[in-house]
Amino acid sequence: MIDRNVPFFRRLSASDQRELLGHIQVFLAEKRFEGCGGLELTDEICVTIAAQACLLLLHRKTDYFPRLLTILVYPSTYMVEEKRHVEGPVWEEGRMARLGETGRRLGAMVLAWDAVRSGAADPSDGKNVVLHEFAHQLDYENSADDGTPALATREQQLSWREVMRTEFASLRAADETGIPTLLDTYGATNPAEFFAVATEAFFEHPRLLRAHHPRLYAELQSYFQQDPVEYSAERVRTD
Ligand SMILES: [Zn+2]
């Protein structure tokens, strides 16, 4: 089932596969899943979510997303009433499609099964709602949702702050001027979204990210303790 739904699994080394399977078991035992909007939960759904979430835990000492208790799964992209800031005093109101969401004080995460499945099926399209939402959960581990996860040393914190500030500023500038970017400009919203979007790119477009944002790639590589270039199915020329 993992092989079929989560293609990156086959490309991992044998020891990483073993480690991931161990994490998945703990994850499935610790988290509560709930089917919503008429969705009947299956093992396939839970394992497809768990496998992608646990990729973020490989090689690291981890507490399995301690702030997250419940995962609510809807059959498909769901609509929410939302007020969105456009510019200055201009706000846009209306129904927006959502693939997933989570919050620091929620203890819960909402995911749309169709987005989870398509995100897993194509591990190199740059979009992965599970990696995105679970990156937010990593961000919450040290309590603030500020785009900085728990980092081991003071040097790491300093380096992280410096690199993320620069990269975030350049994504904001690109967003304002309309320059095409590898990183989804949704990451220009705030530093927390920047970390989530950069995490998606790190696992989905590692070669491109390393070529175009080498310092950002190095920070994420040191935090995640892995190099997705080694197992990515991404096919690109970066020269
Ligand atoms: Zn987000």
Side-chain angles (χ1 to χ4, degrees), residues 132-133 136 186 192-193 196:
H132 182 106
E133 299 304 332
H136 283 315
Y186 185 62
E193 294 305 339

Side-chain angles (χ1 to χ4, degrees), residues 2-192:
I2 292 192
D3 278 29
R4 201 182 57 228
N5 277 27
V6 193
F8 77 76
F9 184 79
R10 264 174 277 147
R11 307 180 65 95
L12 294 175
S13 69
S15 70
D16 282 358
Q17 287 183 351
R18 270 196 305 277
E19 189 184 337
L20 189 71
L21 289 171
H23 284 324
I24 292 170
Q25 278 190 339
V26 176
F27 185 95
L28 291 175
E30 279 192 1
K31 308 301 175 196
R32 214 166 79 84
F33 285 81
E34 253 179 63
C36 303
L39 181 79
E40 186 98 31
L41 269 188
T42 60
D43 285 351
E44 182 192 10
I45 294 174
C46 299
V47 169
T48 304
I49 293 170
Q52 298 177 81
C54 290
L55 180 64
L56 303 179
L57 306 180
L58 279 184
H59 311 162
R60 301 195 299 119
K61 215 170 136 284
T62 176
D63 211 3
Y64 297 94
F65 310 104
R67 286 169 172 268
L68 180 68
L69 308 170
T70 309
I71 299 158
L72 307 164
V73 193
Y74 281 82
S76 55
T77 308
Y78 54 98
M79 306 299 285
V80 286
E81 291 294 335
E82 205 172 59
K83 225 177 157 186
R84 202 163 57 172
H85 191 214
V86 180
E87 209 178 8
V90 184
W91 289 73
E92 190 175 79
E93 232 172 310
R95 286 167 71 73
M96 314 269 174
R98 282 260 179 97
L99 316 175
E101 63 193 302
T102 191
R104 189 158 72 87
R105 288 182 197 83
L106 277 178
M109 178 182 293
V110 184
L111 290 168
W113 169 230
D114 62 351
V116 168
R117 195 172 38 192
S118 64
D122 188 344
S124 309
D125 64 355
K127 289 191 184 7
N128 189 303
V129 67
V130 177
L131 297 179
H132 182 106
E133 299 304 332
F134 279 91
H136 283 315
Q137 284 293 330
L138 293 177
D139 191 0
Y140 306 154
E141 275 184 27
N142 61 346
S143 75
D145 51 347
D146 55 359
T148 307
L151 298 165
T153 66
R154 179 93 184 117
E155 282 85 54
Q156 255 187 310
Q157 287 167 8
L158 290 173
S159 157
W160 181 279
R161 199 179 310 159
E162 208 267 305
V163 170
M164 293 298 156
R165 189 167 45 205
T166 315
E167 295 281 346
F168 177 62
S170 74
L171 186 62
R172 284 194 84 113
D175 186 32
E176 275 158 24
T177 48
I179 297 167
T181 53
L182 171 66
L183 293 166
D184 187 332
T185 51
Y186 185 62
T189 311
N190 57 46

Side-chain angles (χ1 to χ4, degrees), residues 11 122-125 204-208 232-238:
R11 307 180 65 95
D122 188 344
S124 309
D125 64 355
E204 296 251 333
H205 288 312
R207 287 188 183 82
L208 281 173
S232 171
E234 179 190 27
R235 258 182 268 248
V236 281
R237 284 173 60 99
T238 52

Side-chain angles (χ1 to χ4, degrees), residues 216-236:
L216 176 58
Y217 191 85
E219 278 315 307
L220 293 168
Q221 193 182 352
S222 132
Y223 171 64
F224 284 113
Q225 293 291 301
Q226 52 179 308
D227 185 0
V229 163
E230 287 170 5
Y231 60 83
S232 171
E234 179 190 27
R235 258 182 268 248
V236 281

